[in-house]
């Protein structure tokens, strides 16, 4: 008994298409918002750094999107500051307890 022949179902895959600037910015906003809701500071740090790097690439490419990327990086940084502040407020070490006189 021989095994039946299997033909390839996908012969020619289309080449991947790079996302547009608008798609990159929209994804960044979604990731930052969900990370802020989940209080995930690491994801916000990554997103902030990714948008800062995209700003540099945009400046070097002179494509006109550097301000939008810089604003996305700034927005992620503000969300990150809020998340870090909330995490710090939830800690219960000696510096957050009231001093009794």
């Amino acid at each position: 008994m021989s095994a039946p022949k299997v033909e390839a179902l996908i012969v020619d895959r289309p080449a991947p298409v790079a996302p547009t600037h608008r798609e990159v910015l929209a994804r960044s906003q979604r990731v930052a918002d969900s990370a802020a809701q989940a209080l995930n500071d690491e994801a916000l740090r990554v997103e902030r750094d990714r948008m800062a790097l995209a700003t540099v690439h945009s400046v070097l490419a002179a494509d006109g999107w550097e301000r939008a990327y810089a604003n996305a990086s700034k927005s992620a940084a503000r969300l990150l500051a809020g998340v870090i502040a909330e995490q710090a407020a939830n800690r219960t070490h000696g510096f957050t307890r009231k001093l009794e006189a």
Side-chain angles (χ1 to χ4, degrees):
M1 302 187 97
S2 63
K5 278 191 162 181
V6 178
E7 295 182 26
L9 296 176
I10 302 173
V11 286
D12 290 326
R13 282 192 174 165
V17 178
T20 65
H21 294 288
R22 291 183 198 280
E23 291 170 341
V24 170
L25 290 167
R27 179 193 175 277
S28 173
Q29 186 65 43
R30 285 192 311 271
V31 168
D33 288 343
S34 66
Q37 285 181 345
L39 298 178
N40 186 347
D41 60 317
E42 185 61 31
L44 278 168
R45 282 187 178 93
V46 168
E47 199 56 34
R48 177 200 59 193
D49 294 346
R50 198 172 77 84
M51 287 296 103
L53 185 61
T55 304
V56 172
H57 282 278
S58 184
V59 167
L60 294 176
D63 58 10
W65 286 87
E66 58 270 3
R67 184 175 295 271
Y69 286 123
N71 286 338
S73 179
K74 183 170 64 172
S75 173
R78 284 183 180 160
L79 289 172
L80 175 62
V83 166
I84 290 174
E86 190 163 337
Q87 287 175 344
N90 291 337
R91 291 190 189 124
T92 57
H93 52 73
F95 294 109
T96 58
R97 294 186 185 143
K98 280 188 172 182
L99 292 176
E100 295 182 22

